[in-house]
RNA sequence: GGCCCGUUGGUCAAGAGGUUAAGACACAAGCCUUUCACGCUUGUAACGGGGGUUCGAUUCCCCCACGGGUCACCA
């Protein structure tokens, strides 16, 4: 185990979305590549918005994706606890230190007062920064304000000159003027620390060596560096990875369709496909191959090949990758994964009786070759489990528009009835013989038959469908189709 | 608005002063095939604009434009 330690620190205020998953993945890949440790920490200092549900959702999404953590919730570790809400005493000590050294100070301004001043500053075209009016309060001032019943917050005393530079592994040096940095709040009036403060303490105490996170945090970084310095902590290395944007170039939000890992799961995407796709957003391997097994990604991953520019996610490519993995996956695994989707559509009973398993599996395997998600497997397999409700209109125009076709289907039915063994091989032989006997091209026979027994113009091999459907069903559907043709022509 | 980051085809992206500017997805055509899909072949399509530096800029510098992020008692 090398000394590389990285972390993913989501706040449990919503489900794990694609962007968060990508950040988690890059951290995880970096840890695995370097044989380091991947820490999961829950940043739940926002008591208003944090929920147990989100917490559970995030953990389960991580597990589903296969991004496992070496230290963190449910796992423990040397540097716990891994929930910030359980680390209050640690923060309290740090605050006391800063306060006593006058690197931080108490501020009695209320939320309302602040909001008003911010509004006013904005209106005057000035930056909406805190005016530092509580920075130089005397003990008497503080007493007075406290007697008014005001609950103070703690603010960092930011130097009013100089610069702070972030040495970013991806972007190089990024320098900020200290006078553009606010005396930001590090402890709220309810006693909870804020993100920019707690994260520094925890990252330091947890011995995190590399902070790999989304670019939206780059502007926060100088604030955090100032906290590191005030506390006398050594700095980790920073790497700000590009953001993932929605198709309209804006930040990911619910409005843009599926954004959470959970939703992709529900749509029938495979975890390995999502991981593969996500790894390609903002990072590129050296070779040209883009379908990459996870161990290959781990082996090749490096921060040097992470790009600087934001990426718009494209479901089409994800879908293509998913189709690939769907076809490659182990038959039993794919069957088990597809079952719930068939059940959700009421195509098969839940639980599925053991004696039906084989047939259902064969259907799934026949159909998976031509679809891209588990959900589509269910759509493509529907006619194996229920009656055909409607013949594909385009197919009808092409195949069911002549009365002779009805005669042909009747004749086909006779040929098939004769069969003592009914499988792909025997049915195909019968069909080839029929088309020969009639002196017609196989297509003239095959296409209407496909429509008759599946209701569609596309799908698995015709004779595979027959075998999967069984003799009785095939004969019945053939008869029904021939009748339909006579009635509609 | 201030500050910060970014800008190669529709999308993801390679590229590191001299290239016919890769590759993938998507799209189109063809082949294969009983259909569809897979696979294979081929094609359409890009360096935001303007100045420099240089014998030569997609590549280095500056300006502009555009996109994004951030300025919360959210993380």
């Amino acid at each position: 185990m090398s000394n590389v330690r990285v972390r993913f620190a989501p706040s449990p205020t919503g489900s794990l979305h694609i962007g968060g998953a990508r950040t988690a993945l890059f951290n995880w890949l970096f840890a695995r590549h370097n044989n380091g440790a991947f820490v999961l920490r829950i940043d739940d200092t926002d008591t208003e918005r944090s929920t147990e549900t989100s917490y559970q959702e995030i953990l389960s999404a991580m597990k589903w994706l296969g991004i496992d953590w070496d230290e963190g919730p449910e796992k423990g570790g040397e540097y716990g606890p891994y929930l910030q809400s359980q680390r209050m005493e640690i923060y309290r000590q740090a605050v006391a230190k800063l306060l006593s050294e006058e690197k931080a100070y108490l501020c009695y301004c209320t939320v309302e007062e602040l909001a008003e001043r911010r509004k006013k500053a904005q209106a005057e075209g000035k930056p909406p920064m805190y005016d530092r009016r509580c920075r130089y309060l005397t003990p008497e001032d503080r007493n007075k304000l406290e007697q008014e019943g005001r609950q103070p917050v703690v603010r960092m005393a930011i130097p009013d000159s100089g610069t702070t530079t972030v040495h970013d592994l991806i972007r190089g040096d990024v320098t900020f003027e200290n006078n553009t940095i606010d005396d930001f709040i590090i402890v709220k009036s309810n006693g909870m620390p804020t993100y920019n403060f707690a994260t520094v303490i925890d990252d330091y105490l947890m011995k995190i060596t590399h902070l790999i996170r989304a670019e939206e945090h780059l502007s926060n970084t100088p604030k955090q560096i100032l906290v590191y310095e005030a506390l006398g902590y050594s700095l980790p290395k920073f790497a700000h990875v590009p953001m993932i944007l929605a198709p309209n170039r804006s930040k990911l939000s619910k409005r843009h369709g599926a954004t959470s890992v959970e939703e992709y799961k529900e749509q029938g995407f495979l975890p390995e496909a999502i991981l593969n796709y996500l790894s390609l957003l903002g990072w590129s391997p050296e070779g040209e191959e883009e379908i990459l097994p996870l161990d290959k990604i781990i082996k090749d991953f490096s921060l040097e090949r992470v790009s600087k520019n934001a990426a718009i996610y494209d479901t089409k490519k994800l879908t293509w990758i998913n189709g690939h993995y769907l076809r490659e996956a182990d038959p039993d695994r794919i069957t088990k994964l597809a079952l719930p989707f068939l059940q959700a559509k009421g195509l098969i009973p839940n639980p599925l009786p053991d004696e039906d398993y084989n047939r259902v599996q064969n259907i799934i395997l026949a159909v998976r070759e031509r679809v891209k998600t588990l959900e589509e497997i269910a759509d493509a397999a529907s006619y194996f489990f229920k009656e055909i409700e409607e013949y594909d209109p385009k197919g009808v125009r092409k195949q069911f528009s002549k009365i002779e076709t009805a005669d042909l289907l009747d004749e086909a039915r006779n040929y098939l009835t004769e069969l003592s063994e009914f499988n792909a091989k025997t049915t195909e032989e019968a069909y080839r013989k029929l088309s020969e006997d009639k002196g017609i091209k196989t297509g003239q026979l095959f296409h209407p038959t496909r429509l008759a027994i599946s209701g569609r113009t596309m799908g698995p091999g015709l004779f595979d469908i027959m075998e999967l459907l069984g003799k009785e069903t095939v004969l019945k559907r053939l008869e029904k189709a021939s009748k339909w043709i006579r009635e509609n022509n």
Side-chain angles (χ1 to χ4, degrees):
Chain A
M1 180 90 51
S2 73
N3 59 357
V4 165
R5 290 175 59 82
V6 294
R7 51 70 162 178
F8 176 57
S11 69
T13 54
S15 48
L16 182 66
H17 61 82
I18 286 300
R22 205 277 307 255
T23 301
L25 176 63
F26 277 22
N27 274 284
W28 184 86
L29 288 170
F30 188 72
R32 294 292 171 261
H33 176 87
N34 291 293
N35 216 282
F38 174 68
V39 179
L40 177 63
R41 187 181 71 222
I42 305 298
D43 284 6
D44 57 348
T45 54
D46 185 350
T47 46
E48 308 272 295
R49 294 180 228 190
S50 296
T51 66
E52 174 68 18
T53 312
S54 295
Y55 170 72
Q56 293 299 343
E57 273 177 12
I58 290 169
L59 293 202
S60 85
M62 300 264 300
K63 289 179 203 166
W64 181 73
L65 285 171
I67 303 178
D68 57 333
W69 52 97
D70 304 302
E71 295 170 28
E74 298 180 356
K75 196 123 193 198
E78 214 182 311
Y79 304 93
Y82 293 91
L83 263 61
Q84 287 191 326
S85 57
Q86 294 171 8
R87 301 171 64 82
M88 289 303 124
E89 188 48 37
I90 296 169
Y91 309 131
R92 229 182 307 264
Q93 286 173 22
V95 175
K97 183 170 185 283
L98 292 181
L99 245 16
S100 72
E101 294 172 3
E102 295 188 344
K103 289 171 177 167
Y105 61 93
L106 296 173
C107 167
Y108 294 86
C109 300
T110 65
V111 179
E112 294 75 28
E113 289 167 346
L114 258 16
E116 196 171 318
R117 278 180 236 156
R118 202 159 25 232
K119 218 172 109 189
K120 190 160 169 258
Q122 295 248 33
E124 290 168 6
K126 290 187 202 149
M129 286 173 68
Y130 178 60
D131 59 13
R132 294 180 169 174
R133 66 172 64 189
C134 290
R135 185 151 167 178
Y136 305 104
L137 255 28
T138 63
E140 294 77 52
D141 293 334
R142 280 200 279 271
N143 256 327
K144 205 177 141 213
L145 287 160
E146 253 163 61
Q147 254 146 40
E148 289 176 22
R150 290 172 183 253
Q151 289 291 317
V153 299
V154 182
R155 287 182 183 271
M156 275 301 279
I158 302 294
D160 46 23
S161 63
T163 59
T164 299
T165 298
V166 181
H167 302 288
D168 192 278
L169 260 21
I170 294 170
R171 279 153 224 285
D173 285 359
V174 183
T175 300
F176 298 81
E177 296 284 338
N178 288 159
N179 63 19
T180 63
I181 301 172
D182 214 2
D183 275 5
F184 62 99
I185 294 172
I186 58 175
V187 180
K188 310 175 203 175
S189 56
N190 67 2
M192 295 298 279
T194 59
Y195 162 74
N196 282 128
F197 183 62
T199 198
V200 168
I201 295 172
D202 290 339
D203 289 334
Y204 176 74
L205 260 22
M206 293 179 179
K207 296 196 158 49
I208 303 303
T209 57
H210 300 255
L211 242 50
I212 303 169
R213 50 170 38 161
E215 196 198 328
E216 58 185 312
H217 291 291
L218 183 55
S219 314
N220 283 141
T221 306
K223 292 181 185 173
Q224 295 176 200
I225 288 178
L226 259 8
V227 174
Y228 275 98
E229 288 173 348
L231 254 11
Y233 292 169
S234 55
L235 256 40
K237 297 212 185 317
F238 295 98
H240 289 91
V241 304
M243 310 238 342
I244 296 180
L245 268 24
N248 68 350
R249 297 189 172 278
S250 70
K251 216 171 159 178
L252 247 26
S253 83
K254 293 254 184 278
R255 286 175 298 129
H256 308 299
T259 54
S260 75
V261 171
E262 182 70 18
E263 286 170 275
Y264 283 99
K265 181 185 175 188
E266 282 164 10
Q267 285 180 26
F269 286 89
L270 267 18
E272 63 268 40
I274 295 178
L275 254 23
N276 192 152
Y277 175 66
L278 250 26
S279 75
L280 261 18
L281 279 188
W283 173 79
S284 63
E286 277 193 53
E288 290 185 347
E289 194 54 53
E290 303 212 5
I291 296 282
L292 302 162
L294 200 51
D295 52 357
K296 170 83 171 148
I297 299 175
I298 291 172
K299 187 168 163 285
D300 293 353
F301 187 80
S302 77
L303 257 18
E304 285 75 50
R305 293 192 68 84
V306 171
S307 67
K308 293 183 175 67
N309 42 325
I312 295 169
Y313 79 85
D314 173 21
T315 319
K316 282 188 181 138
K317 189 154 176 176
L318 202 212
T319 305
W320 170 75
I321 292 177
N322 201 63
H324 171 85
Y325 284 105
L326 202 58
R327 287 188 295 276
E328 300 288 305
D330 172 77
D332 273 318
R333 175 173 170 239
I334 228 57
T335 304
K336 290 201 178 72
L337 290 174
L339 248 30
F341 287 87
L342 294 171
Q343 283 158 342
K345 290 196 190 308
L347 297 173
I348 56 172
N350 184 10
L352 179 71
D354 286 347
E355 62 266 31
D356 292 346
Y357 183 86
N358 269 90
R359 175 167 179 264
V360 172
Q361 174 163 62
N362 287 334
I363 290 168
I364 289 171
L365 296 182
V367 143
R368 81 177 334 177
E369 299 295 326
R370 28 194 63 79
V371 300
K372 301 211 159 54
T373 65
L374 293 169
E375 170 117 68
E376 287 173 15
I377 286 184
D379 291 330
S382 64
Y383 57 86
F384 286 105
F385 304 104
K386 60 174 195 194
E387 282 310 305
I388 297 164
E389 281 150 10
E390 193 198 7
Y391 296 113
D392 175 77
K394 253 169 83 184
V396 166
R397 251 173 282 138
K398 251 174 129 168
Q399 312 299 345
F400 283 3
S401 59
K402 287 197 296 237
I403 201 93
E404 300 85 71
T405 308
D407 297 333
L408 192 58
L409 292 181
D410 288 340
E411 206 147 350
R413 190 147 46 87
N414 290 335
Y415 272 63
L416 293 176
T417 307
E418 300 293 312
L419 263 29
S420 53
E421 257 191 81
F422 192 91
N423 57 40
K425 187 162 174 285
T426 58
T427 51
E428 176 159 9
E429 280 164 4
Y431 255 52
R432 297 226 177 258
K433 180 156 194 308
L434 171 59
S435 66
E436 208 174 295
D437 291 351
K438 300 280 293 178
I440 57 173
K441 282 198 234 158
T442 54
Q444 283 178 274
L445 179 58
F446 289 11
H447 298 317
T449 300
R450 173 181 296 281
L451 188 61
I453 66 175
S454 75
R456 312 186 186 194
T457 57
M458 38 176 248
L462 182 60
F463 306 104
D464 294 325
I465 297 179
M466 285 201 192
E467 178 171 334
L468 257 10
L469 241 22
K471 185 171 183 178
E472 195 190 330
T473 307
V474 170
L475 295 180
K476 241 171 43 201
R477 290 188 181 178
L478 248 21
E479 184 178 6
K480 192 177 156 197
S482 123
K483 228 171 104 187
W484 190 94
I485 295 171
R486 290 184 209 286
E487 283 166 5
N488 289 280
N489 280 289

